[in-house]
Amino acid sequence: MLAHPALHRSRVNRRLADAVRGLPGITLHDLYAAYPDLDVDVEREKTLLTGHDALVWQHPFYWYSTPALLKEWQDLVLEFGWAYGPGGHALRGKPFLSVVTTGGREVAYQHGGFNRFTVRELLAPIEQTAYLCGLAYLPPLVVHGALRLDEDEIAAQAEFYRQVLIALRDGRIDPASVADRPSLDAGTFALARG
Amino acid sequence: MDTSGFFFQAFVYLGAAVVSVPLARRLGLGSVLGYLLAGVAIGPFGLHLVGQEGQDVMHFAEFGVVMMLFLVGLELEPSLLWRMRGPVVGLGGAQLAVTSGAVAALGLAFGLPWQQAVALGLVLAMSSTAIALQTLTEKGLMKGDAGQKSFAVLLFQDIAVIPMLALFPLLATAAPRGAAGGHGPSALDSLPGWAHGGVVLGAVAAVVIAGRFLVRPAMRAIARSGMREMFTAAALLLVIAVTLLMTAVGLSPALGTFLAGVVLATSEYRHELESDIEPFKGLLLGLFFIAVGASIDFGLMGKAPGTFLSLLAGVMTLKAVVLLGLARAFRARTDQGLVFAAALCQVGEFAFVLFSFAEQSGVLPPELAGTMVAVTALSMAASPVVLALNERLLLPRVGTRPSPARDADTMHEEAPVIIAGYGRFGQIAGRFLRANGIGATVLDVDSDQVDVLRRFGQKVYYGDACRLDLLRAAGAAKAKVLVVAVDEPEKVLEIARTAKKHFPHLRIVARARGRTEAYELFDHGVLDVYRETFDTSLRLGMDVASMLGLHPHRALRAARTFRRQDEAVLREMASIRHDQEQFVRTARERIRALEEILKADADGGRASEDHAWDSEPLRQAVLAHPQARAPGDGGGQ
């Protein structure tokens, strides 16, 4: 699920999306294209979720959170009795991965750094949401310093993202083995593939 | 040919039309009366610009009537026509029988020989297809009950012309005076009756079969050639060919082209044909009306104005009374019956043909025929006036009077919303409000529409919302919002003005056709103005942009910006447009409006650019201070 309200201005997210677009077995769901007026079709979203084995959110890290439409999506789609609560087992056991791009560099997302918390800590509401829905939470894939990346670096990040999604698709990633890692970097990825 | 004469004639006719038709329309009289007045103005009793050749022009211009029936046929699918067979034969037959019977009886009473009385009755029973259809269409009444009934009667009359032409020679009281013109006897008259019938049937069959199997492939071939004017030529050729064929076998060309139209109504070239023939029809019909106006013999009238006027009034009243009675017998509502009667109470253009034929075949004496031709022309001139009078004076008195039960109904309702006009526009707003449990009292002037909606259990009332008493009865004193959604811009203004004056607490939400109408409404203090096509058109533009690859959310935001700006320009323009001098205002207004719009679009390229989620300035700041902790490390991006 891609959530970026102005893809034409995006430097990194668009490239990441392009890298995974059209991969067999992977659906790139551009939320702002599907619901330009933010009018989320809940039933359609549920069908999509049931039809897939793993869930990936890709979005810029706006004010330490998701763009507005992805928040709206959570509020509407993750229904009580369907995604959580009694009988809410629709998402149980599916791996979940957050892919976020941040303007700040990695040094800024540390205790004592400019943003005082790590990205994974700042994503706690989403991690808890995933937990409540029984999703298997993976450490977030963070593209740091998106504003400063040059072409080669963006290409490398896009390729890494592609590899991760292919591995996730093929079920070669074991969320349990990397549950405590701060983020899904190359090292964590290697570990997760066993 | 004397070309300077031809061009001068064309100049006179076109000039008269261009001057008088817009004038007549502005006065609310409709284009037909405008053309007729133009004819009178340039005729022998006006400016003397056209003389005797007016008659020839009229014969030429009758072709406009033929084209009109072709177009009417195109609108009518065969299945629909078949469903109309009842009213055509029943109502149409009754109209002809009763009217001609009554006229004949009167004629006998005045001492005419029975043959002349019958002939007179038959001819005067004819109504004018050209005037009735044109006026009804112009007023948007064609689809209503009155329009359908009128059409049925006119169609029957058209068919009846044929046996009449056959009948007249049998009624002759004097020796025939040479060959008759127009639709008169044809080359087939030497054939025995059965062969004649066969040829006529064959011609009709030829039109149907050619329409089905020949015209479509021909049109396809022409369409492939991609030449627009060939299509127009082919359409004209088709109509003229049918006319020739019909004239050759002694049938009415109007009837023939009508049939051809019906056959082609289901074809894919229907709209193409329509748009090709339409301008010719309009011009020729206009010419026809002008010729009728020019041919009115005021000299004959001047000799015995009393007799003349009483004849005119007598004929039209008699026809109207018969029509009203029939409308009632065929269960039309009173208002529809009045429209029906007013639309058909004139004597039609076929009368010109029939009178000259009757005179030539010795049925009617020349003086009588001449007088009746003048009466016919004058009745055609009077009929738009009759319709207008009916609309202004009679219609408001019938039907619009809400029955006591309805009155009480409305009073108890006290709905917060009143919707005036429940057509295509008002209905959507009304349905939406209903669906959300917001009560609305609805007023509409289309009685059939009102009946249908009532049958579906909606609280809809018949009536003209311009009327103060009706607004009051609808609960305007207690309502909060008045939605003015009627079709005609003048009506919208009128309702808004009345409501503003008498119910100042009411918030008026009005439909505007376009910019000009929106300005008018602003001028009258109505601020909630909705241009009827603006939102839909903008949404369409937005969808097209995203079909072409613009990201849908970006297209949505761009459309929102566009709409905001356009609304702002609209309001700004409305406030400044009165600053100019009165006499240059109208002229400059349009130019300025256009300029403003274009300017807004040009500015739009820069000023309206959507800055949302633009991280470029932030990125530039970050790159300028590579080691700085702020601002790029912050939370926004």
Side-chain angles (χ1 to χ4, degrees):
Chain A
M1 281 166 50
L2 166 66
H4 194 303
L7 215 51
H8 63 289
R9 297 196 195 287
S10 152
R11 293 176 69 245
V12 178
N13 266 290
R14 190 175 51 207
R15 298 287 298 279
L16 294 182
D18 288 346
V20 299
R21 191 187 311 271
L23 282 179
I26 293 176
T27 307
L28 180 68
H29 184 30
D30 181 345
L31 276 184
Y32 277 95
Y35 311 114
D37 52 1
L38 310 198
D39 186 15
V40 176
D41 180 345
V42 175
E43 287 314 309
R44 177 183 166 204
E45 289 304 309
K46 283 186 183 171
T47 313
L48 272 172
L49 285 172
T50 344
H52 290 77
D53 299 325
L55 180 57
V56 177
W57 288 0
Q58 182 204 322
H59 58 89
F61 205 32
Y62 286 163
W63 287 110
Y64 314 107
S65 183
T66 67
L69 178 53
L70 188 47
K71 179 63 170 70
E72 179 92 346
W73 184 95
Q74 297 167 44
D75 300 349
L76 294 172
V77 179
L78 302 178
E79 281 177 354
F80 176 75
W82 185 81
Y84 71 102
H89 308 308
L91 303 174
R92 185 140 300 176
K94 299 187 187 206
F96 173 87
L97 173 67
S98 250
V99 179
V100 296
T101 61
T102 69
R105 292 158 297 173
E106 193 161 7
V107 292
Y109 286 94
Q110 281 172 10
H111 294 195
F114 191 68
N115 291 307
R116 308 200 297 134
F117 302 95
T118 66
V119 171
R120 175 151 186 180
E121 284 166 350
L122 292 167
L123 283 172
I126 291 176
E127 181 167 349
Q128 173 57 20
T129 301
Y131 171 78
L132 202 58
C133 296
L135 291 158
Y137 191 76
L138 280 157
L141 192 166
V142 187
V143 179
H144 279 293
L147 296 169
R148 299 168 203 253
L149 295 183
D150 63 27
E151 277 302 302
D152 292 344
E153 287 165 328
I154 295 175
Q157 290 287 354
E159 176 54 24
F160 177 64
Y161 178 40
R162 203 173 81 93
Q163 293 305 329
V164 169
L165 284 211
I166 290 171
L168 192 59
R169 176 196 68 191
D170 298 342
R172 287 187 280 110
I173 288 188
D174 172 23
S177 63
V178 290
D180 296 328
R181 307 287 294 204
S183 72
L184 190 72
D185 54 15
T188 311
F189 182 43
L191 194 65
R193 283 195 293 180
Chain B
M1 187 167 83
D2 178 5
T3 47
S4 67
F6 170 74
F7 282 123
F8 178 70
Q9 286 287 317
F11 175 78
V12 167
Y13 278 99
L14 292 175
V18 168
V19 171
S20 52
V21 172
L23 211 67
R25 291 209 63 149
R26 172 130 299 194
L27 295 174
L29 297 174
S31 65
V32 175
L33 196 58
Y35 282 120
L36 288 168
L37 289 177
V40 173
I42 61 172
F45 297 91
L47 300 172
H48 283 287
L49 291 172
V50 293
Q52 207 44 49
E53 74 279 1
Q55 289 289 342
D56 305 332
V57 171
M58 183 148 54
H59 285 307
F60 172 63
E62 265 173 38
F63 195 49
V65 182
V66 171
M67 284 180 167
M68 180 169 69
L69 272 150
F70 179 63
L71 292 178
V72 170
L74 275 180
E75 296 276 340
L76 263 184
E77 293 183 12
S79 55
L80 190 67
L81 186 63
W82 185 241
R83 258 185 285 146
M84 280 183 65
R85 69 192 186 279
V88 169
V89 176
L91 184 58
Q95 187 270 341
L96 194 72
V98 177
T99 311
S100 52
V103 173
L106 273 176
L108 281 176
F110 278 94
L112 287 181
W114 71 268
Q115 293 96 332
Q116 290 187 17
V118 168
L120 205 57
L122 287 173
V123 180
L124 291 182
M126 293 285 153
S127 301
S128 171
T129 309
I131 288 182
L133 287 195
Q134 181 83 1
T135 328
L136 289 174
T137 310
E138 221 169 84
K139 293 189 189 297
L141 295 169
M142 213 43 220
K143 299 253 186 289
D145 188 33
Q148 294 300 307
K149 284 196 163 47
S150 303
F151 182 73
V153 168
L154 291 166
L155 190 60
F156 184 82
Q157 293 179 353
D158 248 6
I159 299 168
V161 170
I162 305 147
M164 275 189 214
L165 287 167
L167 185 72
F168 274 17
L170 306 177
L171 295 174
T173 49
R177 306 189 311 129
H183 304 254
S186 62
L188 300 171
D189 283 356
S190 50
L191 290 176
W194 61 268
H196 192 168
V199 172
V200 169
L201 278 182
V204 171
V207 168
V208 174
I209 290 167
R212 270 249 175 281
F213 301 105
L214 216 75
V215 176
R216 281 191 204 190
M219 287 292 176
R220 209 166 299 139
I222 294 163
R224 256 201 302 273
S225 82
M227 287 167 74
R228 185 92 185 79
E229 68 273 20
M230 271 308 107
F231 223 102
T232 311
L236 279 176
L237 179 70
L238 179 71
V239 175
I240 291 175
V242 174
T243 304
L244 279 178
L245 179 68
M246 289 298 131
T247 316
V249 299
L251 278 186
S252 145
L255 195 64
T257 47
F258 171 74
L259 195 64
V262 174
V263 173
L264 290 170
T266 49
S267 98
E268 61 271 43
Y269 297 105
R270 166 181 167 184
H271 295 293
E272 192 72 49
L273 287 167
E274 246 170 41
S275 58
D276 280 336
I277 296 288
E278 183 72 41
F280 292 100
K281 176 215 89 173
L283 270 180
L284 281 175
L285 263 191
L287 198 57
F288 174 73
F289 294 132
I290 293 180
V292 169
S295 70
I296 298 177
D297 191 344
F298 289 97
L300 203 63
M301 264 175 68
K303 276 185 222 151
T307 329
F308 203 88
L309 285 178
S310 45
L311 252 179
L312 176 70
V315 168
M316 289 184 83
T317 314
L318 178 82
K319 291 193 73 164
V321 168
V322 170
L323 288 164
L324 260 181
L326 286 175
R328 175 139 298 180
F330 279 78
R331 266 171 286 163
R333 300 175 54 97
T334 312
D335 61 309
Q336 297 287 329
L338 279 173
V339 171
F340 172 67
L344 296 181
C345 69
Q346 77 293 100
V347 186
E349 56 274 357
F350 277 121
F352 295 121
V353 179
L354 289 169
F355 276 131
S356 72
F357 180 60
E359 185 192 334
Q360 278 153 351
S361 45
V363 183
L364 293 175
E367 319 80 71
L368 184 57
T371 312
M372 288 329 279
V373 164
V375 167
T376 300
L378 217 61
S379 80
M380 286 167 84
S383 88
V385 183
V386 170
L387 262 171
L389 286 179
N390 177 48
E391 203 171 56
R392 302 259 163 91
L393 299 180
L394 282 181
L395 281 185
R397 285 166 206 278
V398 297
T400 42
R401 201 182 316 132
S403 63
R406 287 188 182 184
D407 227 29
D409 241 20
T410 349
M411 290 311 204
H412 287 305
E413 194 133 35
E414 288 176 13
V417 180
I418 299 173
I419 301 179
Y422 213 54
R424 293 177 304 129
F425 195 90
Q427 259 180 41
I428 297 171
R431 274 172 45 211
F432 173 77
L433 291 174
R434 239 169 86 87
N436 288 280
I438 299 172
T441 307
V442 174
L443 294 172
D444 198 280
V445 287
D446 183 338
S447 54
D448 296 322
Q449 175 102 326
V450 170
D451 277 356
V452 171
L453 290 166
R454 294 203 131 224
R455 237 177 291 140
F456 283 95
Q458 301 210 27
K459 291 240 180 338
V460 183
Y461 301 92
Y462 176 81
D464 188 340
C466 293
R467 289 175 45 199
L468 177 60
D469 55 337
L470 218 85
L471 276 178
R472 188 162 284 140
K478 298 220 170 125
K480 294 189 174 69
V481 179
L482 169 67
V483 178
V484 190
V486 299
D487 241 330
E488 305 82 5
E490 309 85 55
K491 276 264 157 109
V492 175
L493 266 183
E494 205 179 327
I495 296 169
R497 259 206 305 261
T498 312
K500 251 208 130 51
K501 189 166 155 207
H502 297 277
F503 310 101
H505 73 282
L506 260 187
R507 182 153 186 181
I508 300 173
V509 177
R511 160 188 184 179
R513 187 161 285 174
R515 274 175 185 272
T516 322
E517 291 78 8
Y519 293 151
E520 295 275 330
L521 284 162
F522 288 146
D523 282 356
H524 286 89
V526 179
L527 299 179
D528 300 295
V529 172
Y530 294 80
R531 282 174 285 164
E532 58 189 42
T533 55
F534 186 71
D535 285 272
T536 313
S537 177
L538 187 57
R539 204 152 53 83
L540 182 147
M542 181 183 92
D543 286 349
V544 170
S546 46
M547 279 169 208
L548 291 179
L550 193 69
H551 193 278
H553 188 63
R554 188 181 178 187
L556 177 99
R557 291 185 62 88
R560 278 191 202 148
T561 309
F562 184 91
R563 162 200 240 289
R564 235 183 349 258
Q565 284 196 337
D566 199 78
E567 291 280 336
V569 170
L570 185 77
R571 269 151 220 275
E572 185 197 354
M573 284 296 301
S575 63
I576 60 168
R577 84 192 174 114
H578 282 306
D579 293 349
Q580 292 141 10
E581 289 292 319
Q582 191 72 20
F583 70 96
V584 283
R585 199 190 75 194
T586 329
R588 283 208 186 148
E589 195 174 284
R590 285 178 194 276
I591 301 169
R592 269 191 72 98
L594 185 65
E595 275 178 0
E596 286 290 330
I597 294 166
L598 294 176
K599 189 165 158 293
D601 285 348
D603 286 349
R606 288 167 277 120
S608 76
E609 183 71 69
D610 187 353
H611 288 300
W613 304 293
D614 186 0
S615 56
E616 197 53 29
L618 182 60
R619 189 171 113 82
Q620 292 306 326
V622 167
L623 295 179
H625 312 282
Q627 295 315 314
R629 285 156 60 97
D633 289 330
Q637 171 66 261

